[in-house]
Amino acid sequence: MTVESAESSVPAVAEPGERRTPPYAGGGAPLLGHAWNLVRDPLAFVAGLRGEGDLVRLRLGPKTAYAVCDPDLVAALLKSPDYMVGGPLWDTLGVLLGKGVATSNGPVHRRQRRTIQPAFRTDRIAGYATVMEEEARAMAARWKPGDTVDIGAEVFRTAVRIIARSVLHVDSVDERADRLSSSLHTVFSGLYRRMVLSVGPFYRLPLPANRRFERALADLHRLVDEIIAERRASGVNPGDLLAALVGAEDENGETVGEQEVHDQVVSLVVAGAENVASTLTWTFQLLAEHPEQESRLHEEVESVTEGRPVAFADLKGLIHTRNVIAEAMRIRPAVWILTRQAAVDTELGGYHIPAGADIVYSPYAMQRDPRSFPDHLEFDPDRWLPERAAESRQSAMMPFSVGNRKCPGDHFSMAELAIILATVTPRWRLVPAAETDSTPRIGITLQPKRALLRVEERGTA
C-alpha cells in the first residue's frame, strides 16, 4: 500500500471550528504520486476519481492538487472570483499562448475579451458562413471515391483556413495554413507530458523530440509575427478582428504592445483550429461507426437545403445535426482536463482550499458519468431532444465552459461544425478504413489514434 492510498482511507473529519481537508485519492507511485496515473492511463484515472468523492487531493510529484469531481462544484468553481485561470495546464500552455485572452486574468482579461467579442456577434458569424462552406466544399472536392483520408489532418487544415480567412483576413492563407497545421500538431503532441511531468531540465536536453518541439514552436510564433507585420505594413483597416487587435488600447489608453497582439492572435488560432478540429474528427469517426445516425443527418440536410449549398439561415432547421455535434462533444470532448488556481484562501464543497492551490477537473469524466447520463457510453444524439432533457444532468455538460471564461466563439464554432458536416455529408459517405484506430490519443486535447476513413460516393454500397 502506498502512502497516498493509506491516507485516502482515512475520512476527512474535522473538529468544530477546524478546517476540513479533502481526502487523498487512492493509488499513486513513489515520488511521482498520481502523475504516474495521469501518464499511464489518464482517462481511466480521472473517470475513477468520481467514485472517491466530490473533491479529493492528488499528489503530482512534489505538489498537491485538488480534483473536483461533482458537476455542481465545478460550476461553482468556474463562477467564483476566488479562482483564476492557472495551474499545470495553463502553466504549460503559457509557452504557446503567452498572455492572450485564454490565459490572462482580471482587468486584462476583461479588456481583451471586450476587444474580441464583437468579431463573434451573430451578424458577423452569418458573414463568415460563406467562408466556412467554401472551405468545407474545397476539402470535399479534394477527395476521390475509394480514397482513404486522414480525417483529423483534413479538418485541422480546413479549420485553420477558416479562422485565418474569416476572422483575421490573412493573405497567402494556403502556404500559411499548412505551416500552422504542421507546427501546431507538433507543439500539441509535446505539451501534455510537460504538464503532467514538470521536470523542466529534461525538456532542455538536445533530444530529437525536444528539438522538434522547439522548432515547431519557434516557427509558429514566427508565422504569427509575419501575419501581424504584413497587416501593419499594408496600412489597410478592413474592420476585422486583426485590425481591432492591432489598434487595441490598454487600461491607460495606450496602444497595446506587440507581444500582446501576438499572444491574442495565437490564442485565437489555437482555439479556432485545435478544438474545432478535434470535435470534427470525433464527429466524423462516430458517424462512420454509427451509419444509422449518419443516414439521419444526411436526410435532414437534404430536406433543409433541398440540394443547394448550406447557408447560415439553414442552421436553425438542422436539429439532428446539432444534436449529433452535442453528443460527440459529450462522449468525446476535445478538452478533457482543465485546471484553475485558488486566488485566495477559500472553501469549495465544505473543504478548505489554500491560496495558490492547483485545482483540476475533467469534462471527460463528468460527461461520461453514468450518474449524469443514462447509457453514458452510448452515442445517442436524441438524448438532447427537449422531451428527453430531464433524463440527463444538464449541469454536467459544459463544452464551452461557464461564467466569465465561457468561450466567446461558441456560436462561431457551432456554426462551423454544422456547416462542415452539412457540406460534406451530401457528397460523401465516410466509413471506417481497416487501419483506423479510434482509441483516444492523449494530449492537451483528445484525438483518435488513427482516424482513417474511406470515402464512398452517395448511392454506392
Side-chain angles (χ1 to χ4, degrees), residues 12-20:
V13 178
E15 296 296 328
E18 185 181 348
R19 288 172 165 177
R20 295 177 67 218

Side-chain angles (χ1 to χ4, degrees), residues 67-340:
V68 186
C69 308
D70 177 74
D72 293 335
L73 283 186
V74 171
L77 166 79
L78 298 180
K79 294 175 182 177
S80 171
D82 291 349
Y83 305 94
M84 60 184 181
V85 165
L89 173 68
W90 299 107
D91 291 345
T92 303
L93 284 174
V95 301
L96 173 61
L97 302 180
K99 297 296 183 182
V101 69
T103 54
S104 60
N105 285 288
V108 173
H109 172 259
R110 289 192 291 272
R111 170 176 55 76
Q112 292 176 335
R113 190 179 176 101
R114 283 196 300 269
T115 300
I116 68 172
Q117 192 68 64
F120 298 106
R121 294 196 312 256
T122 301
D123 59 325
R124 291 285 187 93
I125 297 172
Y128 304 148
T130 301
V131 172
M132 296 172 181
E133 191 275 332
E134 287 174 356
E135 290 296 338
R137 183 155 32 89
M139 176 179 69
R142 292 196 296 271
W143 304 341
K144 297 180 179 60
D147 279 355
T148 294
V149 298
D150 181 340
I151 195 64
E154 291 286 308
V155 297
F156 189 91
R157 183 174 186 272
T158 298
V160 170
R161 290 179 61 87
I162 287 171
I163 197 73
R165 284 187 60 199
S166 62
V167 176
L168 301 174
H169 286 190
V170 174
D171 295 328
S172 308
V173 72
D174 291 297
E175 183 266 341
R176 284 177 172 154
D178 289 338
R179 280 176 62 192
L180 281 168
S181 298
S182 176
S183 297
L184 275 173
H185 176 77
T186 302
V187 169
F188 265 83
S189 66
L191 283 175
Y192 178 67
R193 285 184 181 271
R194 284 168 163 80
M195 178 185 78
V196 175
L197 298 175
S198 301
V199 284
F202 173 81
Y203 300 117
R204 290 193 288 271
L205 296 176
L207 302 175
N210 291 343
R211 287 176 171 173
R212 285 194 298 272
F213 178 87
E214 295 298 335
R215 282 198 300 269
L217 185 64
D219 187 55
L220 176 65
H221 288 308
R222 184 165 51 248
L223 179 54
V224 169
D225 284 337
E226 290 173 11
I227 291 170
I228 296 168
E230 185 177 272
R231 171 58 63 83
R232 289 193 186 279
S234 72
V236 175
N237 183 350
D240 62 357
L241 180 52
L242 184 53
L245 294 174
V246 169
E249 295 181 346
D250 63 19
E251 292 80 1
N252 300 315
E254 302 290 335
T255 302
V256 300
E258 286 292 314
Q259 188 61 52
E260 181 172 325
V261 177
H262 173 102
D263 293 345
Q264 287 280 67
V265 173
V266 172
S267 293
L268 289 164
V269 170
V270 169
E274 181 67 20
N275 294 349
V276 166
S278 176
T279 298
L280 270 174
T281 302
W282 282 118
T283 304
F284 278 119
Q285 182 72 39
L286 287 163
L287 288 172
E289 294 170 356
H290 297 82
E292 74 286 354
Q293 298 292 351
E294 194 270 355
S295 293
R296 286 179 59 190
L297 189 150
H298 172 234
E299 290 167 5
E300 177 181 77
V301 171
E302 290 289 273
S303 174
V304 170
T305 65
E306 299 180 335
R308 55 177 170 71
V310 65
F312 184 75
D314 297 321
L315 298 184
K316 62 180 180 295
L318 298 178
I319 297 170
H320 184 65
T321 303
R322 292 201 308 271
N323 290 344
V324 163
I325 295 167
E327 182 67 350
M329 289 192 293
R330 181 195 70 82
I331 198 168
R332 291 298 188 191
V335 179
W336 65 278
I337 192 167
L338 286 162
T339 62
R340 289 291 188 269

